[in-house]
Every structure is written in C-alpha cells, then in structure tokens.
C-alpha cells in the first residue's frame, strides 16, 4: 500500500527530470564547463610565453633601452648582430619576471631573429627613433607591417607597445604624430600589397589576412592585440650621467607581465 502511494510521486519526479527545465540547466552547466576549459587552455598558453621582444630598426636605441632596464646605467652600444636576453624583474613585491630579448634591427637579420623568437612572445616593444622618424617612416612601417601580418603574431596577439625613443632631443616627434603617420603608412601598405598571413620565412599559411577592418582606414584599435604608445628616452635628458626616462615603459611592463 505504501509503495502504491509513492508511485504517483515517483512518476512525477521522473517526468520532472526529463523535462525541459532540467535539460536547460544541464546545457547551461556544460556550456560553463567548456568555457572554463577554453579559458584555462588560453591562460596556460599565455603563461608559457614569458618573452618580451625588443624590435625596431638599427639605431632606434633598443640595446641601450635593454641595458637601462636591466641595470639602470648608461653604456655605449653598437649595432647588434645577434640577440641578447636577460631576466628582468618586473615587480620586486610579487617576484614577477619576464625575459627581455633584444633582437638585431639590421634589415638582413631582423626577420630571421623574429622568426626564431616570435612564438615565445608575451609582449612586443617596437622601438622607434623619434628624431629620425620623418626620414625613416616608410622603413619603420614596412617592418611593423611584416610583424603585424605574421600568422603566429596574429594568432597569439601579444601586447604591443610602440616606444617613441630619444624624446630628450628637441627635434623628436611626439607619440601622437608617430601614431598618426604610422596608421597612414600601414593603410597604404595594406592597399598596395596582398597581405597573406605568412611565416617570416616566407611560407604561406592560409588565405588573405586583412590588416584592420575591410572598407575602413586602418587604425591600431582594429588589431587583435592591445596597442599602446609611450614617449621615452633611454639616454635621458641629462645624458650619460643622468637617469633614463622609462617610466611609461616600466609601468607597461608591470601591466603585461
């Protein structure tokens, strides 16, 4: 008799468990689990990339910037023909480190070295000579374009800082002007050439890569990575005896580490 009395309640419970409300809850739980797994995977990949690459043309001041960040001291530098790397402690409180890698800027070497290190890049500092910028703008934009349409860079989307160096010199161009002119030159470049996503060794990896948004003039906000500009001076306003002006760069490194 007791079993017979419970049967209607058990049947109602069975119907509830097979009803649309429970199904909706299960689907929602599965969606949350998948989202969490994807997030963990992406975070895991990002945390495995610990390198901050210093890129730019010859004489942009990358190597002095590298030395100043590591030791704070000025030193004479010469054009690099190989990479230099060192561990940089971003935050003394948290003990957070990244690996700074200074890559050669010579035209015959820069893509070869970038090909070697790009997959490890957590962030990229693209150093621009603010004094020579007006004269070098096409070369600067050409190299930056090659970096931005690379398939690995597009996929990993490392944070990008355009470091407008040599601001201690009176004739230095401002970060705002450099941004505007680079956007204009990059817009011209994407129009005048087919932008297939290639590895830096020249091998094609798929269909055409559109730099920015189709039908709109290019600007940096259209890229998959976050792009920022800072003004800095590796030499510093007081020259060899004084301190470098790298506050904006150092704050950015703390943020991306």
């Amino acid at each position: 008799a007791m079993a017979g009395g419970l049967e209607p309640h058990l049947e109602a419970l069975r119907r509830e468990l097979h009803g649309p409300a429970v199904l909706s809850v299960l689907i929602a739980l599965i969606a949350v689990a998948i989202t969490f797994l994807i997030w963990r995977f992406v975070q895991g990949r990002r945390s495995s990339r610990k390198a901050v690459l210093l890129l730019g043309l010859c004489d942009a001041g990358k190597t002095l910037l590298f030395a100043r960040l590591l030791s704070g001291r000025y030193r004479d530098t010469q054009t690099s023909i190989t990479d230099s790397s060192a561990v940089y402690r971003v935050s003394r409180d948290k003990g957070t480190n990244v690996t700074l890698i200074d890559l050669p800027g010579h035209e015959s070497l820069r893509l070869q070295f970038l090909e070697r290190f790009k997959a490890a890049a957590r962030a990229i500092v693209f150093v621009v000579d603010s004094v020579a910028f007006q004269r070098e703008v096409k070369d600067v934009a050409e190299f930056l374009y090659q970096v931005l349409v690379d398939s690995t860079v597009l996929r990993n989307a490392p944070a990008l800082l355009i470091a407008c160096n040599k601001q201690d010199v009176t004739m230095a161009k401002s970060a705002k002007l450099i941004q505007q002119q680079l956007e204009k030159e990059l817009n011209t470049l994407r129009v005048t050439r087919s932008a297939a996503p290639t590895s830096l060794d020249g091998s094609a990896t798929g269909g055409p890569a559109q730099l920015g948004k189709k039908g709109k003039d290019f600007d940096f906000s259209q890229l998959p990575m976050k792009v920022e500009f800072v003004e800095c001076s590796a030499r510093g306003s007081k020259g060899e005896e004084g301190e470098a002006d790298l506050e904006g760069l150092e704050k950015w490194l703390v943020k991306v580490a």
Side-chain angles (χ1 to χ4, degrees):
M2 187 179 292
L6 288 174
E7 191 61 39
H9 298 290
L10 292 172
E11 184 60 34
L13 183 60
R14 276 195 290 270
R15 282 199 301 271
E16 283 293 325
L17 290 174
H18 288 87
V22 174
L23 187 60
S24 298
V25 171
L26 287 173
I27 290 171
L29 288 172
I30 291 169
V32 169
I34 291 172
T35 303
F36 177 73
L37 289 172
I38 292 171
W39 178 81
R40 285 294 300 271
F41 175 72
V42 170
Q43 288 295 109
R45 283 183 60 194
R46 184 175 182 273
S47 63
S48 69
R49 298 195 301 270
K50 298 293 287 183
V52 175
L53 309 184
L54 300 181
L55 309 179
L57 303 188
C58 277
D59 300 321
K62 299 182 303 300
T63 302
L64 180 56
L65 204 65
F66 177 77
R68 285 286 209 178
L69 284 169
L70 293 172
S71 70
R73 293 191 295 274
Y74 178 91
R75 69 176 174 87
D76 291 323
T77 62
Q78 55 190 17
T79 300
S80 304
I81 57 171
T82 189
D83 61 281
S84 300
S85 63
V87 173
Y88 172 69
R89 176 165 285 189
V90 175
S91 169
R92 289 180 176 81
D93 297 336
K94 297 179 181 178
T96 307
N97 298 328
V98 294
T99 302
L100 288 179
I101 307 179
D102 173 30
L103 302 186
H106 193 278
E107 189 176 3
S108 64
L109 298 172
R110 59 193 181 216
L111 295 185
Q112 168 191 335
F113 278 89
L114 182 55
E115 179 70 26
R116 186 183 303 175
F117 292 105
K118 64 184 182 180
R122 184 186 194 83
I124 293 172
V125 178
F126 193 96
V127 185
V128 174
D129 182 337
S130 304
V131 179
F133 178 73
Q134 207 69 52
R135 184 177 71 249
E136 297 178 343
V137 59
K138 290 189 183 299
D139 291 334
V140 172
E142 172 77 28
F143 183 25
L144 185 56
Y145 178 87
Q146 289 172 317
V147 174
L148 293 176
V149 297
D150 178 78
S151 56
T152 301
V153 174
L154 283 171
R155 182 174 64 250
N156 291 343
L160 174 63
L161 182 75
I162 311 294
C164 305
N165 193 24
K166 305 188 182 181
Q167 291 291 319
D168 55 294
V169 181
T170 309
M171 299 298 290
K173 298 293 182 284
S174 70
K176 185 175 181 180
L177 183 108
I178 288 171
Q179 178 176 348
Q180 290 170 345
Q181 294 207 16
L182 279 178
E183 287 176 339
K184 184 179 176 182
E185 287 295 329
L186 288 167
N187 191 60
T188 302
L189 277 170
R190 72 171 182 170
V191 170
T192 55
R193 65 177 62 190
S194 58
T198 62
S199 295
L200 292 168
D201 60 5
S203 59
T205 59
Q210 179 68 39
L211 188 65
K213 293 183 179 177
K214 196 171 184 179
K216 291 189 175 183
D217 287 342
F218 173 79
D219 67 68
F220 285 101
S221 68
Q222 299 164 2
L223 294 173
M225 70 283 289
K226 185 173 176 58
V227 183
E228 297 179 56
F229 283 72
V230 298
E231 295 181 355
C232 62
S233 171
R235 182 178 173 83
S237 58
K238 295 182 180 177
E240 299 177 16
E241 301 304 318
E243 293 184 358
D245 178 12
L246 303 178
E247 185 180 356
L249 171 57
E250 289 169 335
K251 285 181 178 178
W252 181 83
L253 286 169
V254 170
K255 194 163 53 175
V256 301

